[in-house]
Each structure stands twice: as structure tokens, then as C-alpha cells.
Amino acid sequence: MPISIKSCPCQVSPSLAFLSTPVAYSDCCQPYHDDLYEDGTDKNGGVKAESAERLMRTRYSAFVLAKADYIVKTTLPAQQTLLDVKAIESWAKETNWVGLEIVKHTPKLGKRHAQVEFKAYYTTSEGTQAHHELSTFVKVIDKTADDKGERWYFLDPTVSMSVSQKQPCICGSGEKFKRCCGGYLP
Ligand code: ZN
Ligand code: ZN
């Protein structure tokens, strides 16, 4: 799919198109996607998304642009090796994405979770379809990072992990799985 750089993919919404002012990709999701400065120095993994909604938007744009690496690195680290990168990439490329609509952002759920309900639109021979999803995100504190910062990650409900309810949570919070991310995973 040819990408118009005029408007960031995440800013295109079929139902709200007439309301939105164009925001360029370079002013929107690109800084989050790019790991490197123009001179080639490492930006330490790109700009961190400041909220679950921002992360969701940058992930949608990454799907549109088939940046599977970004999809992987914004998924909870414990789940990353279980993702099928090739499948993500081919699905992203084969889908004709046409827009995103954030239905609801719940920025705080308990201590460290957030949810974003959205519709991602795509076209098929049958017309425009909507992929309607409620995604959960978890805020992880990385004590080893230079900035000791918090980072939002997508909690992928399709990745099956063999972790029992009483084991420490996969997000590294130190709480039991069932009292933490387990509550948001099937
Ligand atoms: Zn964007
Ligand atoms: Zn957790």
C-alpha cells in the first residue's frame, strides 16, 4: 500500500476524516519508530510512548508501514520471543489499512495497567471492515535503563504462556501473576 507521508497513518479516521487536521508522520509516529538519529547514533530504542493510547497509535502506524520490529519491541518483553515476526509482517503487508478510531482510552486500571478500545479499518473486496479490539497495556519500570524510566508495553492475549496463577507476574512487577497481568490474559 502506498503511504502518504502527509498524514500519519494513525491520524486517518474514516468516520472523523473531515474533522482532523493532518499531522505529518514525521511529527507523529516516526520519532517512536526510529531507533537512530540521522547521524546514526542510537536513540536508546526510540522515543518512549507517554501513554497507552500513544503506544497503540504508534503500533497501528507500524502495522500500516509493516514495521514488524516495532510491533515486537512494544510487546511485553516476556512475550517477545513467542511472537511470529514473519506472520506479523505478512499480515501487516497484506492488509489494506485505511484508518484508526480510538473508541475509548482508560489510562489507569489498577496500579500499572491501561486499556484502549479501538477500531482499525481496512478494505477487502467486500468493502471497509473494522477490526474492533480492546487492548491491554502494562507499565513496566526498567530499573536497568539509563533513565530508570517506565515504559508501556502491549500485553498480547494471543500469546500463550505457561505461567501459573501463583507465579510471579511476567511483567516483572513482583506481584503474583493472577493479581497482575493474569487478570487481563485469557
Ligand atoms: Zn501517528
Ligand atoms: Zn504483571
Side-chain angles (χ1 to χ4, degrees), residues 8-49:
C8 185
C10 86
Q11 300 291 331
V12 179
S13 166
S15 57
L16 300 168
F18 59 96
L19 289 176
S20 60
T21 36
V23 179
Y25 174 58
S26 57
D27 294 331
C28 190
C29 292
Q30 190 173 25
Y32 299 88
H33 291 167
D34 287 355
D35 280 357
L36 302 173
Y37 288 108
E38 277 172 19
D39 67 2
T41 52
D42 196 340
K43 261 195 257 188
N44 196 16
V47 175
K48 283 196 286 192

Side-chain angles (χ1 to χ4, degrees), residues 76 112-113 138 155 169-173 175-177 180-182:
L76 186 68
R112 60 184 71 82
H113 292 90
V138 59
L155 210 48
C169 191
I170 53 173
C171 75
S173 66
E175 294 203 42
K176 285 188 179 117
F177 180 62
C180 192
C181 298

Side-chain angles (χ1 to χ4, degrees), residues 130-163:
H131 169 77
H132 191 176
E133 189 179 311
L134 177 64
S135 287
T136 304
F137 297 84
V138 59
K139 194 164 60 180
V140 172
I141 298 169
D142 184 358
K143 297 185 186 77
T144 63
D146 294 346
D147 57 0
K148 294 186 171 46
E150 300 170 332
R151 199 177 263 270
W152 285 102
Y153 288 99
F154 173 61
L155 210 48
D156 193 334
T158 68
V159 171
S160 58
M161 301 192 66
S162 51
V163 48

